[in-house]
Amino acid sequence: DTGVSQDPRHKITKRGQNVTFRCDPISEHNRLYWYRQTLGQGPEFLTYFQNEAQLEKSRLLSDRFSAERPKGSFSTLEIQRTEQGDSAMYLCASSLDGTSIHEQYFGPGTRLTVT
Amino acid sequence: GESVGLHLPTLSVQEGDNSIINCAYSNSASDYFIWYKQESGKGPQFIIDIRSNMDKRQGQRVTVLLNKTVKHLSLQIAATQPGDSAVYFCAEGMNRDDKIIFGKGTRLHILP
């Protein structure tokens, strides 16, 4: 257990429905990242926050995706009008800015299946 | 575009032997490189990192080698154990944002 938690662990939804995932990072970590991972591939960067500010979004993050970190603590990732291509593992990670160690602590992920 | 890739998708190693997992990268501007281990059903777990101005770094049972001339990174695991079975990813990052670019992964299979 890395100290990063994600909820839910699994989500099955029908195409066209909206889904929301939650990530609780390690409490003192000011950076929070979202990644998407498909089977057999490495995680792909989606977006990241420094405290409550969303600093960068990947072009993978279409208009149907939105992420928030309202109080600089937990974060949510929402996917609207889900498509079958959204099926993947969604990983959250956190880190502490300003250290010499480039370690991101990953949560267990939320596996999304769109039917 | 930028890419971090691996030469072999699967590596089988006898228990007790040393494992060497290789990785090629293309972005010479990366500030550091990282190896992550991912077990089934879990998120990636940090193993070791190396700054771009270094060529070798050792941890507990692991050594990472960086050859910037040929843009090659390797992870050596000494005395491989059953618990080392996992998918290993190399990744690269920049100091300015710590955004990590992952490669495709190598599955390490330990033979009894």
Side-chain angles (χ1 to χ4, degrees), chain A residues 26-47:
Chain A
I26 294 172
S27 59
E28 63 267 27
H29 283 183
N30 55 351
R31 283 189 170 172
L32 187 149
Y33 305 79
W34 285 99
Y35 293 84
R36 181 174 68 189
Q37 186 177 26
T38 53
L39 195 63
Q41 303 295 315
E44 296 174 293
F45 170 80
L46 293 179
T47 188

Side-chain angles (χ1 to χ4, degrees), chain A residues 7-23:
Chain A
D7 184 69
R9 294 292 307 277
H10 303 275
K11 179 69 176 178
I12 301 174
T13 191
K14 292 185 178 180
R15 188 177 57 182
Q17 297 295 305
N18 299 342
V19 293
T20 300
F21 309 141
R22 176 178 170 125
C23 171

